[in-house]
Amino acid sequence: MSGTGSGTRRVSALTVYGVLRGRSYRPALEEAGYRALAPARQALASELALGALRWHQRHIKLLEQMMDRPRPPAKLGALLSVGLFQLARTRIPDHAAVSSCVSAAKALLRPAQARTVNAVLRRYLRERPRLEDAADQSLEGRYSHPGWLIRRLQAAWPGHWQSILRAGNRKPPMWLRVNPARTGRESYRAQATGSGPWRCILPDDLPGALRIDPPGAVGLIPGFGEGLVSIQDAGAQLAAPLLGVRPGMRVLDACAAPGGKTAHLLELCPQLGELVALDSDGDRLARLEANLARLGLSAAVRRGDALRPAQWFDGVAFDRILLDAPCSTTGVIRRHPDIKHLRRDEDIAPFASLQGRLLDALWPLLKPGGRLLYSVCSVLPDETDDVIRRFLGENRGLACEVRGCGGVSGGWALPLARHGYQLLPGRRCADGHFNALLEKPLQID
Ligand SMILES: C[S@@+](CC[C@H](N)C(=O)[O-])C[C@H]1O[C@@H](n2cnc3c(N)ncnc32)[C@H](O)[C@@H]1O
């Protein structure tokens, strides 16, 4: 196991490099050799990689001022981003930050590039206020998000785009959901408060939710392995209660893995008739099964394509359907800063098209009088309001929206969307989510 500072920076830089070349954060971290680090070093390597990914667009604006080339080669840029993050936003002493990056550069890069790392980081320390001021002059530099996303947010949210972008750069809080079959929220708070350096915050209007501050590592959360709690953001916890599940109902969770909302539905109503948990991804379904087993819950797990019900639907219609659709995930950027680098402007239209097709495919499976909840962790109207508006427009008399649904969303979401509820990231410490509840009329005129 490696316990050196340069080994840690090497892993961080290779992780950033992997993401910049199109890998998601987790596989990039694994491929960067994260497991070979000692446990304390693993935490630091991941902290530095996430920080560099969060601030990378700003770092590029700083580097443009200090280097001749418009953009440094990818591996050099990744290591410099890790170095700048340490100098600008951590308490690591400057000399340790620079020397660990220079040592990592000697292992990772050509000798001339290692000298560049030294020169650039030292120049940043000398000229920092001027360089930072200049980086503030462009929106990409100031908010450290890709230009296409900034422009979309400006157009969609004229009064909120800056706060959405600022929220996207913050380190996320840790939200838990207690499993009522195993513990109560107050008794869990008592147990957790005594067992770690954190306090627990319990929102009055979201039963079962509890925020741990400061966030802890999963392995340190009391009772996690025994199924007392799940890790789930408050925004995601708003969805399942909106469906109003009752004993005996047949429920479809159509994009279920890794099972956060499946488990929440089962916790809300242990006497459901049946919960079919469907997903097209076998690896993610394995995680769903492990999560349900940890919590002592069970569902009818099916692998299949929600767009092709003929493959898996047995013909018995559902009382409730949850469609937690694949989306741009632009509401959860603070948790997954790799999204800033992986998503492209041109991805949004295919997501919106897929979401519409999923709604069209699943609607016939709903009983008359039944309800479908459309849920996405996006803040882009193409994937939220527009999807619902199109669907309702094409299904006049065959589908209607349930307004004022559930009550609880009102305290969290602002009345911003024409349809459904849009929760913007950062509000009440939650991620960004959108929910719309649709009902199939009992009698179709
Ligand atoms: C937003 S995630 C679901 C998160 C999950 N509901 C939870 O709360 O943990 C979307 C899921 O949709 C699945 N998916 C994407 N396209 C699908 C399709 N055509 N049919 C079924 N599942 C699909 C993905 O594999 C992914 O697991």
Side-chain angles (χ1 to χ4, degrees):
M1 284 208 172
S2 171
T4 66
S6 69
T8 310
R9 275 60 175 188
R10 195 176 143 277
V11 169
S12 306
L14 285 175
T15 305
V16 173
Y17 173 69
V19 170
L20 297 179
R21 289 171 69 89
R23 295 290 276 159
S24 295
Y25 171 71
R26 262 286 143 196
L29 187 67
E30 297 285 345
E31 287 157 16
Y34 169 79
R35 300 266 163 208
L37 295 175
R41 293 276 164 193
Q42 289 183 354
L44 180 60
S46 128
E47 175 91 11
L48 296 181
L50 288 170
L53 288 169
R54 222 165 252 139
W55 293 101
H56 190 70
Q57 279 92 357
R58 182 173 182 87
H59 294 161
I60 290 293
K61 294 293 174 198
L62 293 169
L63 293 174
E64 279 172 5
Q65 303 173 64
M66 294 187 278
M67 299 177 79
D68 297 336
R69 324 168 57 130
R71 278 197 182 220
K75 222 177 255 182
L76 173 61
L79 182 57
L80 283 169
S81 195
V82 171
L84 288 171
F85 173 67
Q86 290 183 88
L87 295 176
R89 295 176 199 276
T90 72
R91 292 190 186 155
I92 296 168
D94 293 345
H95 63 88
V98 175
S99 71
S100 57
C101 280
V102 172
S103 304
K106 286 178 182 159
L108 269 181
L109 306 169
R110 294 199 304 276
Q113 291 180 321
R115 287 194 293 279
T116 303
V117 169
N118 190 34
V120 167
L121 295 182
R122 288 186 190 284
R123 180 165 169 200
Y124 172 77
L125 287 172
R126 283 195 310 274
E127 300 178 29
R128 181 177 177 151
R130 183 188 67 73
L131 295 166
E132 294 282 2
D133 278 354
D136 272 335
Q137 299 313 307
S138 74
L139 291 178
E140 274 183 70
R142 187 177 325 153
Y143 295 108
S144 201
H145 277 64
W148 67 266
L149 183 54
I150 297 175
R151 287 188 289 280
R152 278 187 182 264
L153 292 173
Q154 284 177 313
W157 306 110
H160 301 275
W161 63 274
Q162 287 130 316
S163 66
I164 296 173
L165 293 168
R166 277 195 286 269
N169 288 334
R170 274 187 217 117
K171 275 175 70 173
M174 180 176 244
W175 284 98
L176 304 178
R177 190 189 74 237
V178 297
N179 178 359
R182 300 258 163 105
T183 186
R185 196 163 68 153
E186 284 298 343
S187 48
Y188 184 79
R189 186 225 297 252
Q191 180 181 350
T193 305
S195 68
W198 43 56
R199 65 192 182 111
C200 298
I201 297 116
L202 281 56
D204 289 340
D205 55 356
L206 194 53
L210 180 142
R211 181 157 59 86
I212 293 256
D213 188 41
V218 178
L220 301 177
I221 299 301
F224 181 81
E226 296 79 55
L228 266 52
V229 286
S230 297
I231 296 173
Q232 189 183 40
D233 188 83
Q237 292 190 45
L238 290 170
L242 295 176
L243 265 176
V245 286
R246 294 196 298 275
M249 281 184 166
R250 184 164 207 243
V251 179
L252 171 66
D253 186 353
C255 290
K261 297 186 184 76
T262 315
H264 196 189
L265 287 167
L266 291 164
E267 288 167 2
L268 288 170
C269 187
Q271 305 86 25
L272 279 182
E274 186 179 37
L275 196 160
V276 177
L278 178 83
D279 204 281
S280 54
D281 185 322
D283 292 339
R284 288 173 67 90
L285 273 181
R287 284 171 57 203
L288 175 143
E289 288 184 307
N291 277 329
L292 294 186
R294 181 179 62 80
L295 295 164
L297 301 168
S298 68
V301 178
R302 304 264 184 281
R303 183 170 177 192
D305 183 348
L307 290 170
R308 293 182 179 76
Q311 291 177 353
W312 50 268
F313 179 52
D314 61 8
V316 182
F318 295 96
D319 298 285
R320 296 286 186 265
I321 296 178
L322 171 60
L323 171 54
D324 190 13
C327 72
S328 64
T329 58
T330 42
V332 295
I333 283 179
R334 59 183 193 162
R335 277 186 202 288
H336 305 287
D338 52 343
I339 295 166
K340 289 180 178 182
H341 308 283
L342 300 174
R343 290 282 175 273
R344 299 278 173 268
D345 197 17
E346 52 273 23
D347 297 338
I348 305 307
F351 273 126
S353 156
L354 173 61
Q355 291 148 1
R357 284 182 291 127
L358 283 165
L359 262 180
D360 293 341
L362 295 171
W363 191 252
L365 280 48
L366 191 62
K367 279 184 190 167
R371 290 180 169 188
L372 180 149
L373 183 72
Y374 174 80
S375 185
V376 278
C377 55
S378 170
V379 289
L380 300 177
D382 307 55
E383 303 179 275
T384 57
D385 245 1
D386 293 356
V387 172
I388 300 302
R389 193 191 46 201
R390 181 205 62 83
F391 180 77
L392 291 174
E394 289 175 4
N395 290 278
R396 277 182 214 287
L398 306 176
C400 57
E401 186 180 353
V402 183
R403 303 262 179 185
C405 55
V408 80
S409 282
W412 294 78
L414 296 172
L416 295 168
R418 187 160 155 218
H419 299 290
Y421 292 85
Q422 179 70 63
L423 181 63
L424 293 181
R427 182 171 155 78
R428 297 187 64 186
C429 295
D431 286 340
H433 280 269
F434 173 88
N435 292 311
L437 187 62
L438 307 176
E439 189 170 83
K440 188 180 270 191
L442 272 175
Q443 288 187 336
I444 297 172
D445 311 321

